[in-house]
Amino acid sequence: LRDAVKQTDARLGEAEQDIQRLTTEINQLEREIVQHRQPAEDLNKDLQSYLGHDELRLEIKETGYAITRHRKPAESLSEGERTAIALLYFLKSLEDQAFNLLDGVVVLDDPVSSLDANALYCAFGFIRERTQRAGQLFILTHNFPFFRQVRNWFMHTRQQERLYMLECTYNGADRKSQLRHLDSLLMDYD
């Protein structure tokens, strides 16, 4: 009987350890689901606002997302739709607990490539709203209408900011780029 009690106590100890391990695992999975679900819901709201419709959605799938159109896997996303999803996802990542936006450096490299005029202004609105508190903000663009939006924003709200341009020069076979203050014509005129 003593041996049976010892064996039962040992199995009970193992079962209690299993219960503790499984409870910890359940709690971790529930935290991951909560952390995963809220960003998906936020991104879906942003996508609807950005695109003007809700046919594209991010559905939670394991540890990531699936992009759906009318609740079916989305195929053949346009360049503008891909740009919108990537930009909104990046801007959402700035809210991550591991990133301190106030002390952070944010670099956006031509975030409006291949967007039409309406999408460009919508993208600018999201960028301005989500990055206005960034410690340092670098926005690089080849798009002149977008540049004008950024320039006007910086000139009216980010007084300390400087506007620069890359000047490319060719001497013989070599190409060089030099960072310099924004040309006064670009600064003063639309």
Side-chain angles (χ1 to χ4, degrees), residues 78-93:
S78 71
E79 186 72 26
E81 289 170 332
R82 289 194 299 256
T83 299
I85 292 167
L87 176 63
L88 293 173
Y89 184 83
F90 173 76
L91 293 173
K92 185 68 181 163
S93 73

Side-chain angles (χ1 to χ4, degrees), residues 55-66:
E55 68 181 52
L56 277 182
R57 296 188 54 78
L58 297 174
E59 304 291 336
I60 297 168
K61 187 166 185 151
E62 297 173 16
T63 59
Y65 305 108

Side-chain angles (χ1 to χ4, degrees), residues 8 11 18 21 27 51 57 59 65 78 81 86 90 107-108 128 136 139 151 155 157-158 165 168 172 182-183 188-189:
T8 303
R11 285 195 305 260
D18 283 344
R21 180 184 56 77
N27 290 337
L51 298 173
R57 296 188 54 78
E59 304 291 336
Y65 305 108
S78 71
E81 289 170 332
F90 173 76
V107 179
L108 291 157
R128 185 177 65 192
Q136 286 188 320
I139 300 178
R151 180 199 62 194
M155 289 179 66
T157 62
R158 298 176 75 97
M165 60 186 282
C168 292
L182 187 63
D183 187 286
D188 297 333
Y189 300 100

Side-chain angles (χ1 to χ4, degrees), residues 4-171:
V5 169
K6 284 181 185 179
Q7 290 174 356
T8 303
D9 284 343
R11 285 195 305 260
L12 177 63
E14 290 172 8
E16 287 173 345
Q17 286 177 350
D18 283 344
I19 289 170
Q20 186 176 12
R21 180 184 56 77
L22 290 171
T23 301
T24 302
E25 192 174 318
I26 288 168
N27 290 337
Q28 176 65 26
L29 290 171
E30 286 176 345
R31 275 195 305 276
E32 287 176 11
I33 288 170
V34 168
Q35 290 173 351
H36 207 54
R37 183 175 315 274
Q38 187 60 45
E41 292 170 5
D42 293 347
L43 282 167
N44 284 329
K45 287 177 189 171
D46 289 347
L47 264 176
Q48 182 176 1
S49 174
Y50 187 106
L51 298 173
H53 57 76
D54 66 349
E55 68 181 52
L56 277 182
R57 296 188 54 78
L58 297 174
E59 304 291 336
I60 297 168
K61 187 166 185 151
E62 297 173 16
T63 59
Y65 305 108
I67 301 170
T68 63
R69 187 186 306 272
H70 303 296
R71 306 236 182 256
K72 295 178 184 167
E75 296 178 12
S76 303
L77 293 172
S78 71
E79 186 72 26
E81 289 170 332
R82 289 194 299 256
T83 299
I85 292 167
L87 176 63
L88 293 173
Y89 184 83
F90 173 76
L91 293 173
K92 185 68 181 163
S93 73
L94 297 177
E95 299 172 8
D96 192 290
Q97 293 175 352
F99 181 71
N100 181 350
L101 183 61
L102 295 174
D103 295 329
V105 177
V106 177
V107 179
L108 291 157
D109 186 2
D110 212 8
V112 297
S113 63
S114 74
L115 294 181
D116 63 25
N118 289 337
L120 181 143
Y121 293 112
C122 190
F124 171 73
F126 274 98
I127 290 167
R128 185 177 65 192
E129 177 187 334
R130 306 281 168 87
T131 62
Q132 64 187 348
R133 294 179 32 239
Q136 286 188 320
L137 177 61
F138 295 87
I139 300 178
L140 309 158
T141 188
H142 297 241
N143 185 297
F144 193 71
F146 181 70
F147 161 76
R148 282 196 320 254
Q149 293 294 313
V150 172
R151 180 199 62 194
N152 292 340
W153 170 39
F154 279 13
M155 289 179 66
H156 292 101
T157 62
R158 298 176 75 97
Q159 300 286 330
Q160 318 84 316
E161 303 299 328
R162 303 264 187 224
L163 297 173
Y164 295 95
M165 60 186 282
L166 280 176
E167 183 177 53
C168 292
T169 58
Y170 300 94
N171 58 355

